[in-house]
């Protein structure tokens, strides 16, 4: 039997549900269900739906927590700081003028990025089968060592 260019090599047997990370993050970024790409991911600004209306995939057990705001602060902080420094080199403004310009830019860009970044994090968690998306309980794999009573 000869292998052709269209054959794909897989180790560990065929997996029944393929979850490409890039596609899942992209679907989440656009506010779509990472599983099917058709259903909506959010019912309000950053509140995710309980389950996808198109495919029925549960979304209520995701745990994005503080990771999306951390990513947004990192992105916006770098862009605004770089923009502030370039503006200050070209156009010398007073502190109040910079504040009047960069304050609203910072606020608007942080609000605009929050939902797409949270969707991308939910898509990442779905693709990696984290926090209940893989069908297993969200528990530590190993327990703590027994406590030493003499300590």
């Amino acid at each position: 039997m000869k292998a052709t260019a269209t054959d794909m090599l897989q180790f560990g047997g065929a997996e029944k549900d393929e979850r490409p990370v890039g596609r899942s993050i992209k679907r989440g970024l656009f506010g779509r269900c990472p599983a099917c790409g058709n259903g909506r991911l959010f019912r309000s600004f950053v509140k995710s739906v309980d389950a996808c209306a198109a495919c029925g995939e549960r979304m209520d057990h995701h745990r994005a927590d503080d990771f999306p705001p951390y990513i947004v602060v990192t992105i916006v902080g770098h862009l605004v700081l770089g923009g502030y420094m370039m503006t200050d080199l070209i156009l010398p403004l007073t502190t109040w003028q910079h504040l009047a310009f960069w304050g609203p830019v910072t606020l608007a860009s942080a609000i605009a990025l929050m939902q797409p970044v949270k969707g991308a994090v939910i898509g990442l968690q779905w693709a990696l089968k984290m926090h209940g998306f893989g069908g297993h309980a969200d528990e530590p794999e190993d327990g703590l060592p027994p406590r030493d009573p003499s300590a």
Side-chain angles (χ1 to χ4, degrees):
M1 179 176 174
K2 283 191 164 187
T4 63
T6 58
D7 290 341
M8 182 180 279
L9 178 65
Q10 290 185 343
F11 294 105
E15 194 171 324
K16 58 183 170 184
D17 58 345
E18 187 178 329
R19 296 184 177 190
V21 175
R23 183 182 71 192
S24 303
I25 291 174
K26 184 179 175 184
R27 286 177 175 174
L29 207 72
F30 290 120
R32 295 285 167 210
C33 172
C36 66
N38 295 325
R40 293 180 54 179
L41 187 57
F42 296 102
R43 66 174 175 227
S44 62
F45 181 58
V46 290
K47 182 72 174 169
S48 65
V49 295
D50 292 333
C52 176
C55 68
E57 178 77 31
R58 286 186 54 214
M59 296 292 164
D60 59 345
H61 48 72
H62 78 83
R63 297 199 40 202
D65 297 333
D66 293 335
F67 191 45
Y70 176 79
I71 293 172
V72 168
V73 166
T74 302
I75 292 170
V76 171
H78 281 84
L79 294 176
V80 168
L81 182 63
Y84 167 81
M85 292 171 71
M86 285 189 282
T87 304
D88 198 40
L89 286 174
I90 296 169
L91 188 65
L93 300 173
T94 66
T95 303
W96 287 106
Q97 290 170 327
H98 277 295
L99 186 61
F101 179 74
W102 291 108
V105 167
T106 303
L107 187 62
S109 58
I111 290 172
L113 280 176
M114 186 57 67
Q115 187 180 31
V117 169
K118 184 170 182 176
V121 169
I122 293 172
L124 176 68
Q125 289 178 356
W126 180 84
L128 298 179
K129 299 180 182 179
M130 298 170 64
H131 306 300
F133 284 119
H136 52 71
D138 194 19
E139 297 174 359
E141 291 182 13
D142 55 343
L144 294 173
R147 186 174 177 186
D148 184 16
S150 63

